[in-house]
Amino acid sequence: MRFGHFDDQTREYVITTPHTPAPWINYLGSERFFSLVSHLGGGYSFYRDARMRRLTRYRYNNIPADVGGRYFFVNDSGDVWTPTWLPVKADLDHFETRHGLGYTRITGERGGLRVSQLHFVPLGEDAEVARVTVTNTSDVAKSPTLFSFVEFALWNANDDQTNYQRNLSVAEVEVEQDGPYGSAIYHRTEYRERRDHYAVHAVNARAAGFDTDRDTFLGAWNGLGEAAVPRAGASAGSVASGWYPIGSHGLPTPLAPGDSTTYTFVLGYLENPVDAKWADEAHQVVAKQGAHALLGRFATTEQTDAAFEALRAHWTGLLSTYSVRSTDDKLDRMVNVWNQYQCMVTFNMSRSASYFETGIGRGMGFRDSNQDLLGFVHLVPERARERILDIAATQFPDGSAYHQYQPLTKRGNNDVGSGFNDDPLWLIAGVAAYLKETGDVSILDEQVAFDSDDALAQSLFEHLSRSFRFTVDHRGPHGLPLIGRADWNDCLNLNCFSTEPGESFQTTENQSGGAAESLFIAAQFVLYGEEYAQIAERRGSADVAASARADVEAMRTAVLEHGWDGRWFLRAYDFFGTPIGTDAHDEGKIWLEPQGFAVMAGIGVDEGEGRTPAAVGSATPSLAATALDSVRELLATDHGMVLQYPAYTTYRIELGEVSTYPPGYKENGGIFCHNNPWVIIGETVLGRGERAFDYYRRITPAYREGISEVHRQEPYVYAQMIAGKQAVRHGEAKNSWLTGTAAWNFVAVSQHLLGVRPGWDGLVVDPQIGPDVPEFTVRRVIRGATYQITVHNSGVPGSRAVLRVDGVPIEGNEVPYAPAGAVVRVTAVL
């Protein structure tokens, strides 16, 4: 079942009914001001930090779902409705939502009146703009009244939802009916004291009336669907004083048959210097010069339209760096548009604010942000550079790191702390990706603080060295890395032993004296340890590189000697030294993460069952092939590969949170889409492109669109999790948008299936996609040069491409980087 369709020409997903299985959302903004908007107008806005600078209020876990957002009520001669369907829920003659790149357009029509609202955050502005067009499609004159509605949050989103004894007495607003560019409502709660910022909700016309008090606007005991002011047909002129501040403008809009009227509404964030907060000596009137300047930039429809076109051009430019043209339209739309778009959203949000993350509990993740960088570094390399330096500054001098940091302050989050022992190695991954993309080795000499303390600053390369040494210095009895609080799998808590209900597995004090080791971190170390050695070698530190490679080889040996279970790699050793992820156990026999990451790192690729190099042409499969064959047998489903199997059916105190979920959900046997790409990449390492592409299609949303009633989440972006084969609702997705799946699946498809990836000295062309895509062309812009790559693909397992560059055959698969401005034509045949 579908609830809409892709419009590839306009790069939009078109939703044709309000009745989707869940709210399907979009993100507006890509700089400092952001909004979440659902296909029904729900969501909220914030400036930089969803916790500390929340402009509008949204209630998670609400009944009914997704009530609270930006709404426009229509009173058409007593017929009250909303073009977003919610919150009034009056039947519409026509409904359509188009989610595009950084904008959403919602259109509703009823009784001969059409209202179309276009929402976007203009480039360079700290504001959400809504262009609202009201059209009379009937053959009689109409005189509808339009009422806008936003509910202001009191800035700190956590305090806003908890500290009512204070908050219900502090709200303040100012109203400017006859402003220089129309009517405006200013939200200034706490501005009289320590805050230097305020919000504005304005329209580029003189409104006939306004409301700023929620209770007045709604009426006693009413919800938004029964709001009193729209039903009365006229604004009440209420002024909030404490209680619940809102912004609403009332606009009578007379229309002859066929006529339209367009308004521009602006929801903006403004700051004033502390010594210039007030327009009067009595400190009673907010200084509004910044707001007036903002509103002046959107005073006319022409200005608004120009800003929208600039936004569209911006996205066209961003997405021109990597594109593919093939016979598979689903592949093309995911690679060219939606996957890269989602990567940019995860760059902006990390895991902080979605319909599954409230923006209150989590900031920017150290691990998350480094992984996200893999998917956006080609789009905004200069911002990737800045992000790397921000992340590195939250590292501790011993090489470990805060697990999260707050985007507003860029300081580590003490509430979560550190101790996730995979974190340091992700910094190496992010920096290596940046260096390959840009060639900018100067970043390695940047002086970067430790723990945000400039007095402790060292070069970024020193940060990488301490990341590397942290793992070397924290190994257990098998020579494998100690896991700490957890590794990539936050729910594998082998030192926790929690018995207290509600206690956080990630922050409770760990027991000391254990020797819990992680095979995942071991594989991670082998993969990124070699990247570190490459960086050191290219800096002229041959001795450092040689030492690093010796440590990497020792880790590889430890994995082969202590991490192989017979048909797959172990997952870990627990606190007591007992293997996890072994065929000897009834539950949790095999785990996905170490299988994929070990093969990505090349572990077991050349070794057979006897742990000796597999003979060339031998019928004996390599350990890597054996492991991935076991994945196919035990973990693969039609909806993706489950994280581990069989799922745990009881709480295992020695394993932690992973065993708290019902079987088949989240880390306990769910399909964690984030790590499926590791197996996809692993299959390409083995030359099994057909199997890799099959796995790719199982979790990629465009291929799942036809089962949207099962999948439930948006069919244009990845979800973090799909319920596994032991779950009651196998195939149902959760936690869409903000997931490392976006970056990793883009890496998998662009760099390994399509096979075009940055190398240290050139662009690697090594496609492995199987026979279903026999021919395709990739356009890749890197370091200022453009590469046009045409691939003729037989799909024969194990075959590798033979390259011609500008008609000349070359050895190997790495096309040397060309000067900026060059156009390089590559033909690959396999």
Side-chain angles (χ1 to χ4, degrees):
M1 183 183 295
R2 288 176 169 85
F3 301 88
H5 61 271
F6 288 94
D7 186 335
D8 294 330
Q9 195 69 30
T10 60
R11 299 180 303 192
E12 296 170 332
Y13 193 82
V14 185
I15 302 167
T16 54
T17 173
H19 306 296
T20 55
W24 287 1
I25 76 165
N26 196 10
Y27 283 84
L28 316 181
S30 58
E31 294 166 313
R32 302 191 303 181
F33 189 99
F34 302 98
S35 296
L36 289 70
V37 56
S38 77
H39 73 295
L40 302 176
Y44 59 93
S45 301
F46 63 94
Y47 173 77
R48 291 183 59 189
D49 190 316
R51 173 171 177 158
M52 303 305 295
R53 292 291 186 273
R54 187 80 62 97
L55 269 75
T56 55
R57 188 172 280 156
Y58 185 82
R59 295 168 183 82
Y60 286 86
N61 202 25
N62 201 14
I63 301 175
D66 197 34
V67 174
R70 73 283 290 146
Y71 297 124
F72 295 95
F73 294 81
V74 177
N75 185 316
D76 181 13
S77 300
D79 181 24
V80 177
W81 56 282
T82 38
T84 47
W85 188 67
L86 281 180
V88 174
K89 295 195 287 189
D91 291 339
L92 300 175
D93 301 327
H94 171 76
F95 172 87
E96 181 182 86
T97 292
R98 288 178 170 262
H99 284 320
L101 306 181
Y103 68 90
T104 289
R105 190 193 314 266
I106 305 173
T107 302
E109 187 168 349
R110 176 180 167 95
L113 199 66
R114 182 172 66 242
V115 179
S116 180
Q117 48 192 85
L118 170 67
H119 299 268
F120 67 101
V121 173
L123 297 173
E125 302 288 1
D126 296 327
E128 178 186 325
V129 170
R131 189 189 71 196
V132 181
T133 300
V134 185
T135 302
N136 182 357
T137 61
S138 75
D139 55 6
V140 299
K142 286 181 170 288
S143 297
T145 300
L146 187 72
F147 299 90
S148 66
F149 176 87
V150 296
E151 182 178 6
F152 295 114
L154 306 188
W155 303 114
N156 183 318
N158 185 61
D159 189 76
D160 183 60
Q161 297 183 31
T162 55
N163 191 11
Y164 296 109
Q165 62 83 26
R166 169 180 166 81
N167 291 341
L168 296 183
S169 297
V170 298
E172 290 187 294
V173 298
E174 288 183 28
V175 178
E176 190 177 53
Q177 276 292 86
D178 295 301
Y181 302 104
S183 295
I185 293 166
Y186 299 90
H187 177 224
R188 46 168 285 180
T189 296
E190 296 184 338
Y191 189 81
R192 67 168 57 244
E193 31 122 345
R194 291 159 293 178
R195 294 194 181 274
D196 60 0
H197 45 270
Y198 62 95
V200 60
H201 172 60
V203 60
N204 67 339
R206 191 193 188 284
F210 65 88
D211 279 287
T212 66
D213 177 67
R214 192 186 77 189
D215 288 347
T216 301
F217 184 84
L218 296 181
W221 309 111
N222 287 339
L224 281 167
E226 303 82 42
V229 162
R231 294 191 181 279
S235 300
S238 60
V239 177
S241 181
W243 296 106
Y244 309 101
I246 66 165
S248 175
H249 297 288
L251 296 151
T253 309
L255 295 167
D259 280 359
S260 297
T261 295
T262 297
Y263 302 105
T264 296
F265 292 83
V266 176
L267 173 68
Y269 172 91
L270 288 308
E271 290 181 354
N272 280 329
V274 174
D275 59 356
K277 288 175 59 172
W278 302 102
D280 63 330
E281 293 185 1
H283 291 190
Q284 298 300 306
V285 179
V286 172
K288 302 181 180 68
Q289 295 92 327
H292 289 164
L294 167 66
L295 302 180
R297 294 192 288 274
F298 300 95
T300 68
T301 301
E302 290 74 19
Q303 289 173 298
T304 302
D305 290 347
F308 179 58
E309 290 307 316
L311 178 68
R312 289 171 63 89
H314 167 75
W315 278 104
T316 297
L318 278 184
L319 298 182
S320 66
T321 303
Y322 192 114
S323 60
V324 64
R325 186 174 68 252
S326 76
T327 55
D328 187 332
D329 58 354
K330 297 181 180 66
L331 173 67
D332 291 1
R333 69 171 60 113
M334 287 307 303
V335 172
N336 297 342
V337 181
W338 295 100
N339 196 169
Q340 295 190 71
Y341 179 53
Q342 187 178 2
C343 285
M344 279 302 298
V345 171
T346 61
F347 160 64
N348 289 319
M349 299 290 107
S350 189
R351 308 295 176 268
S352 64
S354 73
Y355 267 38
F356 297 89
E357 297 282 3
T358 65
I360 294 174
R362 297 176 69 174
M364 309 290 281
F366 190 96
R367 171 204 303 146
D368 297 332
S369 294
N370 275 301
Q371 290 181 93
D372 292 343
L373 189 141
L374 306 180
F376 71 75
V377 63
H378 67 293
L379 296 168
V380 284
E382 69 290 343
R383 298 181 72 185
R385 189 184 205 275
E386 179 185 4
R387 177 61 55 83
I388 286 169
L389 299 177
D390 287 345
I391 295 168
T394 67
Q395 193 175 22
F396 291 108
D398 70 351
S400 63
Y402 283 103
H403 197 48
Q404 296 170 12
Y405 70 96
Q406 288 304 125
L408 192 65
T409 64
K410 297 185 179 180
R411 299 184 71 87
N413 186 339
N414 281 309
D415 292 341
V416 179
S418 63
F420 299 79
N421 283 359
D422 65 310
D423 274 345
L425 292 173
W426 292 116
L427 183 62
I428 298 174
V431 172
Y434 173 79
L435 292 172
K436 292 175 186 178
E437 181 70 30
T438 65
D440 172 25
V441 296
S442 70
I443 192 174
L444 298 171
D445 295 317
E446 288 279 357
Q447 296 296 298
V448 185
F450 282 102
D451 195 10
S452 301
D453 185 348
D454 289 336
L456 302 176
Q458 296 281 344
S459 70
L460 179 63
F461 181 74
E462 178 61 23
H463 280 258
L464 300 184
S465 297
R466 297 193 192 184
S467 291
F468 182 86
R469 296 306 309 175
F470 180 85
T471 304
V472 173
D473 295 340
H474 292 80
R475 288 181 286 181
H478 298 96
L480 300 168
L482 296 173
I483 195 170
R485 290 193 177 278
D487 57 20
W488 172 88
N489 189 333
D490 285 319
C491 297
L492 186 60
N493 316 116
L494 303 182
N495 296 302
C496 181
F497 298 94
S498 176
T499 59
E500 186 67 30
E503 182 178 60
S504 169
F505 288 92
Q506 282 74 49
T507 60
T508 187
E509 185 175 352
N510 283 338
Q511 290 194 19
S512 60
E517 297 166 289
S518 167
L519 266 296
F520 172 82
I521 300 178
Q524 186 190 17
F525 181 81
V526 172
L527 180 61
Y528 297 130
E530 173 55 31
E531 301 279 56
Y532 170 72
Q534 282 276 1
I535 295 169
E537 190 168 64
R538 290 164 184 274
R539 272 177 70 85
S541 301
D543 54 338
V544 174
S547 175
R549 288 192 171 107
D551 289 327
V552 167
E553 193 54 38
M555 189 69 73
R556 184 190 303 272
T557 300
V559 171
L560 293 172
E561 290 184 355
H562 303 293
W564 182 249
D565 190 57
R567 289 197 294 157
W568 53 76
F569 292 100
L570 295 173
R571 179 58 178 86
Y573 284 91
D574 71 10
F575 184 91
F576 307 103
T578 303
I580 297 171
T582 171
D583 200 18
H585 291 166
D586 293 333
E587 295 178 339
K589 285 177 177 289
I590 176 173
W591 295 60
L592 189 66
E593 309 105 297
Q595 319 313 324
F597 232 85
V599 180
M600 284 170 58
I603 301 172
V605 173
D606 296 320
E607 290 84 11
E609 283 293 338
R611 296 177 182 77
T612 58
V616 177
S618 169
T620 302
S622 66
L623 300 186
T626 300
L628 296 193
D629 288 345
S630 297
V631 167
R632 192 166 185 85
E633 175 190 350
L634 296 170
L635 300 181
T637 78
D638 290 344
H639 299 287
M641 292 168 275
V642 298
L643 190 145
Q644 47 93 347
Y645 179 81
Y648 296 104
T649 56
T650 60
Y651 176 48
R652 306 289 184 92
I653 191 171
E654 75 280 8
L655 300 180
E657 188 175 359
V658 64
S659 62
T660 65
Y661 292 105
Y665 292 105
K666 291 281 282 183
E667 284 84 352
N668 190 22
I671 298 162
F672 227 81
C673 299
H674 185 144
N675 53 36
N676 274 228
W678 301 340
V679 171
I680 293 170
I681 296 169
E683 291 287 4
T684 70
V685 169
L686 300 183
R688 305 197 300 199
E690 183 174 10
R691 185 179 290 187
F693 190 43
D694 174 37
Y695 288 149
Y696 170 80
R697 287 177 289 191
R698 296 187 193 193
I699 64 168
T700 296
Y703 294 93
R704 298 176 60 80
E705 184 191 15
I707 56 166
S708 289
E709 80 284 3
V710 176
H711 185 78
R712 293 180 59 83
Q713 300 306 313
E714 298 92 339
Y716 42 92
V717 292
Y718 289 98
Q720 177 208 65
M721 194 277 291
I722 298 172
K725 58 184 176 180
Q726 292 175 268
V728 174
R729 297 185 176 184
H730 181 35
E732 180 185 74
K734 291 190 180 81
N735 298 23
S736 59
W737 279 98
L738 302 187
T739 165
T741 311
W744 271 112
N745 235 35
F746 187 72
V747 169
V749 67
S750 66
Q751 298 188 17
H752 297 276
L753 290 169
L754 298 174
V756 179
R757 59 183 177 270
W760 289 106
D761 299 307
L763 194 64
V764 175
V765 180
D766 182 25
Q768 285 291 311
I769 199 168
D772 289 347
V773 187
E775 191 168 298
F776 59 89
T777 300
V778 169
R779 181 181 185 272
R780 180 65 157 96
V781 179
I782 184 168
R783 303 192 187 186
T786 301
Y787 298 78
Q788 299 282 0
I789 303 160
T790 300
V791 177
H792 304 282
N793 171 38
S794 69
V796 174
S799 61
R800 296 287 174 179
V802 176
L803 305 185
R804 284 180 172 267
V805 179
D806 292 329
V808 179
I810 68 166
E811 291 292 326
N813 60 11
E814 192 164 3
V815 180
Y817 286 124
V823 177
V824 181
R825 290 173 174 82
V826 181
T827 301
V829 179
L830 71 160

